[in-house]
Amino acid sequence: MARPKDSEKGRAGPRAESWLAGELGRTDPGSQAWSLMHWMMVTNKHRLFAMAQEFELAPQQMFALRMLASGPRKMSELAQALFCDNSNVTGIVDRLEDRGLVQLRPGEHDRRVRMLMITGRGAQVRAGLAARLDEPPEALANLSPEDQRALRDIMRRTGRVFQAGTQR
């Protein structure tokens, strides 16, 4: 097992085996898998925050930039994707706009709708973020290529089920 980096020491928190499903005595594989995914995200949260700080962004700003990869979005769509109120998105977008990373335009068919677009500078920052976010945590990077492929394939299948709207 890989030793934690200095920046990761003291952040391990509860052990994976005791997280949620183990804590509740759940032994079914689905509950255990979900519990372990949650544990991995919680214990790697500091990585996401550190990556956002590398680009002088708040985590919400980082996520907003990532969501603009597919093209312009309505402010209301961004609020929905970030699970926050439209008023909160305004503050997030204002700070991104102040840095020249995004710009707001009136909607093509309805001028009351505000469309958020990434700028050239924003696209550069977003590309740098994507490269950093694409780096797996050490625990995943240290898995064998076969295990990495198996995990990827399982997660892809799971993602397709979620996208199809069949999640509970």
Side-chain angles (χ1 to χ4, degrees):
M1 183 169 175
R3 295 177 53 205
K5 297 177 187 172
D6 288 341
S7 63
E8 295 173 343
K9 288 181 181 173
R11 299 181 191 263
R15 293 173 13 124
E17 299 82 23
S18 67
W19 188 256
L20 294 179
E23 189 177 297
L24 298 173
R26 301 282 303 259
T27 58
D28 59 289
S31 292
Q32 290 177 340
W34 178 242
S35 181
L36 290 167
M37 284 188 275
H38 187 246
W39 177 80
M40 286 181 60
M41 291 305 298
V42 168
T43 57
N44 280 282
K45 190 175 183 180
H46 69 280
R47 288 182 75 241
L48 291 175
F49 283 28
M51 287 178 198
Q53 286 177 348
E54 287 176 33
F55 295 89
E56 299 176 6
L57 297 169
Q60 300 87 344
Q61 294 169 319
M62 177 178 68
F63 296 134
L65 274 181
R66 292 278 297 159
M67 290 177 186
L68 292 173
S70 59
R73 288 192 131 188
K74 294 178 185 176
M75 291 273 288
S76 58
E77 291 174 354
L78 186 60
Q80 186 177 15
L82 292 173
F83 301 102
C84 64
D85 293 331
N86 289 350
S87 60
N88 291 346
V89 166
T90 300
I92 293 167
V93 169
D94 284 350
R95 289 186 291 280
L96 290 171
E97 195 174 27
D98 288 347
R99 291 192 48 200
L101 304 178
V102 299
Q103 58 185 203
L104 286 168
R105 303 268 184 192
E108 191 175 306
H109 302 292
D110 185 347
R111 296 184 62 78
R112 295 171 296 175
V113 173
R114 298 175 70 197
M115 298 296 292
L116 185 61
M117 306 169 79
I118 197 163
T119 63
R121 183 169 176 224
Q124 289 175 333
V125 170
R126 193 202 156 287
L129 272 170
R132 286 290 286 125
L133 289 167
D134 204 33
E135 296 172 11
E138 192 173 351
L140 289 180
N142 289 337
L143 292 174
S144 70
E146 296 81 22
D147 283 350
Q148 289 179 14
R149 278 190 289 280
L151 180 59
R152 178 204 59 203
D153 294 346
I154 291 167
M155 295 307 295
R156 278 184 179 163
R157 287 193 309 269
T158 304
R160 284 192 292 268
V161 171
F162 272 84
Q163 283 182 326
T166 60
Q167 76 271 20
R168 290 191 251 173

